[in-house]
Amino acid sequence: MARRETSVAGPGSRALVVDVIRSTATISRVELAERTGLTQPSISNIVRDLIAEGVIYETGSSDSSRGKPRKLLAITPANRFGIGFHLGPDTLTCVAIDLTGGVVGREVIPFDGVDLAERLGERFDEFIADLDLPRDRIEGLAVVAPTARPGEEEDAPEWTAVRAALTERLNLPVIVENDAAAAGLGEFWSRRVPREQAFGSVYLSTGIGAGLVFGGALFRGAGFDAGELGHLSIAYDGRPCPCGNQGCVERYASMVATVDAAREAGLTVDQKTISTAYDAIAHAAVSGDPRAFAVVDQAARYLSLAVTSMVNLLDLGRVVLTGPGVAVAGSIYARRLRAHLERTAHARRRHEIVVELSAQPRDAAGIGAAALVVQASIAPGHTAT
């Protein structure tokens, strides 16, 4: 949409130092120099500036075989905050996080998208007031939403105008991003994943997307559209997709596809929305209903085919399953994916491929939105263009 993430330009950047401190929780200056390859004077200068700004602080000390104990450095959690808004079909999820990715506030309200910029601005003011967050310590707002489906672009909000209006109203930086990509960065940030690890997340919702983080930066692609995992074909002559392709995994494994499959299997699905219908099927699957389990397990098999191709192509070392589609039956998806990777992943004998479930799958996109703000604030080597 409106943001491109790029990795740092050189090893001396502030972003590199912040990323290492973030991922290790606590670390000494000597260890920072060893991990980054920077000289001690460079580390001292960067650390001094970060301490002066309140981004990091000295906490305790570690034993040293060379004399006096070494002071340890850590991120200061409540020094600044990021706010993330996730636009769903009929709700708005509002999330505030601290500098470590810890959630300090969350709220879900009904939202119809009318007068978008004005209402988002009002909600921002109300949300931070309810949390009693000091405005001068809030670094900005990120708004995330699903990418418009092919052929439906004209129905999507005019995000450039919305972003400009919000920036002027709030007098703060405003970022716009797609929900799957944001969720990936949020999982990367809050899990303290090292920047050298090739990291990916899979966002299962009414569509299917991926968030990819390399070198600490969200990978966006030439047109800010990287991560469209849902449109990876798993059957060259399969079901037609609105994108123009055939056999896209989204047509087999998304929440929508799973609800359709449940109806075809004869399950009673009378909920009013896709989300409630899918959750009912997922609850039945994990509660022992054999027909519901078969439907969800088949969706997990289809998804595993696509995710394995993504892992093979990018040589990922860690994958997190997130999004509302794994909030109830995530264990089924994780079990299928682990089994498929153990059997078919190209690099399975060279390195471990870790598969994890999100701790907060329904809020992952909102948390990720706020993480975009935090990263842009304290690790500005990941730049917006």
Side-chain angles (χ1 to χ4, degrees):
M1 288 182 182
R3 183 179 179 84
R4 180 194 296 271
E5 296 286 340
T6 57
S7 57
V8 296
S13 80
R14 164 189 172 121
L16 175 59
V17 172
V18 170
D19 272 350
V20 172
I21 298 174
R22 171 196 59 79
S23 65
T24 56
T26 60
I27 191 170
S28 70
R29 289 170 175 80
V30 171
E31 291 168 322
L32 260 180
E34 292 171 350
R35 288 282 301 273
T36 62
L38 299 175
T39 64
Q40 284 291 347
S42 295
I43 291 293
S44 296
N45 290 336
I46 295 171
V47 166
R48 183 179 62 246
D49 290 344
L50 290 170
I51 290 176
E53 295 173 28
V55 174
I56 64 174
Y57 69 105
E58 293 183 331
T59 172
S61 58
S62 64
D63 294 333
S64 172
S65 60
R66 299 180 182 178
K68 65 179 182 179
R70 298 169 179 170
K71 292 285 188 180
L72 296 177
L73 304 168
I75 299 289
T76 309
N79 175 259
R80 303 176 193 178
F81 302 95
I83 308 297
F85 284 179
H86 178 208
L87 279 170
D90 49 18
T91 61
L92 177 69
T93 301
C94 309
V95 177
I97 69 168
D98 62 27
L99 293 190
T100 65
V103 176
V104 298
R106 171 193 181 273
E107 186 175 32
V108 181
I109 62 169
F111 198 82
D112 58 16
V114 177
D115 298 325
L116 190 55
E118 180 62 25
R119 291 189 60 198
L120 288 176
E122 292 173 356
R123 182 87 287 274
F124 178 90
D125 292 335
E126 293 167 0
F127 184 57
I128 66 171
D130 291 343
L131 294 175
D132 196 26
L133 293 178
R135 197 180 184 95
D136 62 354
R137 287 160 72 181
I138 294 174
E139 293 301 299
L141 168 69
V143 182
V144 301
T147 300
R149 294 176 180 274
E152 299 177 2
E153 291 86 354
E154 292 184 359
D155 298 328
E158 178 45 65
W159 286 112
T160 301
V162 170
R163 183 187 186 192
L166 278 171
T167 301
E168 182 177 1
R169 187 189 193 283
L170 302 178
N171 195 30
L172 287 169
V174 175
I175 298 167
V176 175
E177 185 55 88
N178 81 65
D179 53 5
L185 184 71
E187 295 289 350
F188 172 84
W189 193 270
S190 60
R191 288 172 180 273
R192 300 186 184 274
V193 178
R195 61 180 285 123
E196 60 268 18
Q197 186 170 63
F199 176 82
S201 71
V202 177
Y203 190 80
L204 180 59
S205 184
T206 52
I208 301 173
L212 305 168
V213 183
F214 304 124
L218 186 62
F219 178 70
R220 299 303 295 118
F224 317 110
D225 207 25
E228 283 296 331
L229 177 65
H231 298 289
L232 190 155
S233 178
I234 58 172
Y236 76 92
D237 58 350
R239 300 169 186 171
C241 181
C243 76
N245 199 359
Q246 286 185 258
C248 291
V249 68
E250 189 169 294
R251 301 286 289 117
Y252 298 85
S254 67
M255 289 167 57
V256 175
T258 301
V259 171
D260 289 343
R263 290 195 174 104
E264 292 172 3
L267 275 71
T268 300
V269 183
D270 56 5
Q271 279 76 11
K272 293 182 179 180
T273 69
I274 291 296
S275 294
T276 57
Y278 178 85
D279 281 353
I281 297 163
H283 277 293
V286 298
S287 298
D289 184 311
R291 291 190 300 167
F293 178 84
V295 168
V296 175
D297 191 49
Q298 184 61 64
R301 289 172 184 265
Y302 287 135
L303 184 63
S304 296
L305 292 175
V307 176
T308 300
S309 292
M310 181 178 79
V311 168
N312 286 344
L313 180 66
L314 301 172
D315 193 22
L316 299 180
R318 193 169 183 177
V319 177
V320 173
L321 299 176
T322 189
V326 299
V328 176
S331 59
I332 297 174
Y333 289 90
R335 183 167 57 249
R336 274 294 166 203
L337 179 56
R338 290 183 184 121
H340 200 266
L341 288 171
E342 287 172 3
R343 189 174 68 254
T344 65
H346 191 265
R348 64 189 183 278
R349 292 188 177 89
R350 291 191 291 277
H351 65 76
E352 182 183 18
I353 303 165
V354 178
V355 176
E356 299 171 322
L357 279 173
S358 173
Q360 301 179 82
R362 295 193 194 275
D363 295 335
I367 294 170
L372 282 165
V373 173
V374 167
Q375 187 185 62
S377 166
I378 68 171
H382 308 292
T383 57
T385 59

